[in-house]
Amino acid sequence: MSWLRFCEVVPKSFLILIGSVVMRISLKAKFICLALAASIIPVAIVATISVKSTSESMKTVLADELANKSDMVGRQIDNFFEQRIADIRVMSQASEFEAGDPKGITQYLDEVLEANPSIADVVVVDSKGTMFATSGTQEEVGKKLEDENPKLVEFFQLALNGQQGDVFLTDAVKHADGLSVFLLTPITDDSNTKVISVLVIEVTMNHVAKMVETFDESVIGDKYVYLLNDDGLIN
C-alpha cells in the first residue's frame, strides 16, 4: 500500500495523533540531550581546571621539596667542612710540632687519623716544600710537594705566607682513585708568629657523596645532582 493510499484510508485524527507523539518524543530527546550537555560540560570544565590545578600544585610541592633538600644538604656539607677547618686549626697547634721530633709527629698524625675517619691523610711540609712527616706509611717523606701533588703548590705558598689560624681549601681535585679536598694551614714557632712548616690534610669526597645520596630516584627520578664550587663550576 502506498503512502497516499494509506493516508486516504487512515483517519486524519489518527495521523495528527501520531505526529503529535513523534514531536513530543523528539522534543523530549532534545531536552534530555540539552540537560546532559548542561550537566556534563560544567563537570568537564571543572575536571580540566582541577587536573591542571593539581598538576601545578604537585609541581610546586616537588619544587619546594627539592629546595628544602638542597638547603639541608648544603648546610650539611658546609658544617662538614667547617668542622674539618676547626680540626686542622687545633691540630696545627699541637706541642709535637714545636718539639720537632719526626717520630713524635708521625705518632701524633696517626692518632689523629685513627680518631677522625673523615680525614684520609695528614702531611707536614717544611718551608722548602719537602714532606718530612706523614700519617700511615712514610713513603712520601723526603719528597717534594710539587712532585707529589702540584695542585697544592699555590695553596702551600699561601699558607707559608699566612698566619696562625689561616686555613686554605682547594676545590675537589682528582687524587689517587677519587676526588679529594685538601686543607692547608701554617704551623708556627713558639712565638706563634713565624711559620716554620705547613700542615696538610686530605678529605675525600666520599663523605660528601653520601650526603648527596639524599637525592635518590624518589626525589629526582632520572635527573642528576651537581655540586658547584664558588665559581659556579661543577666539582
Side-chain angles (χ1 to χ4, degrees):
M1 180 184 295
S2 68
W3 174 252
L4 290 176
R5 181 59 180 165
F6 176 79
C7 291
E8 290 176 359
V9 175
V10 178
K12 290 184 178 180
S13 60
F14 182 74
L15 291 175
I16 292 172
L17 177 62
I18 293 176
S20 176
V21 171
V22 171
M23 183 174 292
R24 281 201 298 271
I25 293 175
S26 178
L27 288 174
K28 186 176 181 181
K30 290 180 180 179
F31 177 76
I32 292 173
C33 290
L34 289 174
L36 288 173
S39 60
I40 293 174
I41 292 175
V43 171
I45 293 174
V46 171
T48 302
I49 295 174
S50 177
V51 169
K52 184 176 181 181
S53 177
T54 302
S55 178
E56 292 297 327
S57 298
M58 290 181 64
K59 288 181 181 179
T60 301
V61 170
L62 289 174
D64 290 342
E65 184 178 358
L66 284 173
N68 291 335
K69 284 188 177 292
S70 296
D71 185 57
M72 179 189 70
V73 173
R75 287 198 303 269
Q76 288 179 343
I77 295 173
D78 286 342
N79 292 338
F80 175 78
F81 282 106
E82 285 174 3
Q83 185 58 54
R84 302 293 77 74
I85 290 173
D87 289 341
I88 194 172
R89 281 177 176 156
V90 172
M91 292 167 57
S92 68
Q93 298 180 44
S95 58
E96 285 80 1
F97 295 126
E98 295 178 358
D101 177 22
K103 291 184 179 180
I105 294 174
T106 298
Q107 182 179 351
Y108 171 69
L109 298 184
D110 287 338
E111 292 173 356
V112 168
L113 205 63
E114 183 178 355
N116 196 332
S118 299
I119 299 175
D121 195 15
V122 188
V123 178
V124 179
V125 186
D126 66 19
S127 58
K128 296 180 180 180
T130 302
M131 296 181 284
F132 74 89
T134 68
S135 58
T137 62
Q138 302 297 297
E139 296 176 357
E140 295 177 331
V141 173
K143 296 181 179 179
K144 289 290 186 179
L145 179 65
E146 61 183 357
D147 295 331
E148 295 299 306
N149 200 333
K151 294 179 180 179
L152 299 186
V153 173
E154 175 186 355
F155 298 92
F156 169 75
Q157 292 297 331
L158 290 173
L160 199 60
N161 295 315
Q163 300 177 348
Q164 185 184 64
D166 291 343
V167 179
F168 303 92
L169 282 77
T170 70
D171 288 333
V173 297
K174 290 184 178 180
H175 184 71
D177 296 327
L179 291 174
S180 295
V181 171
F182 292 87
L183 290 77
L184 297 86
T185 192
I187 297 175
T188 57
D189 61 5
D190 293 340
S191 66
N192 295 328
T193 56
K194 182 181 179 181
V195 178
I196 57 176
S197 56
V198 173
L199 180 64
V200 183
I201 67 173
E202 177 190 357
V203 178
T204 69
M205 291 293 286
N206 294 337
H207 305 284
V208 176
K210 291 180 180 179
M211 300 177 196
V212 177
E213 286 177 359
T214 303
F215 294 95
D216 56 18
E217 291 185 0
S218 65
V219 179
I220 61 173
D222 59 352
K223 306 302 179 183
Y224 299 91
V225 174
Y226 298 96
L227 288 178
L228 306 180
N229 61 19
D230 292 339
D231 297 323
L233 302 175
I234 297 175
N235 277 322

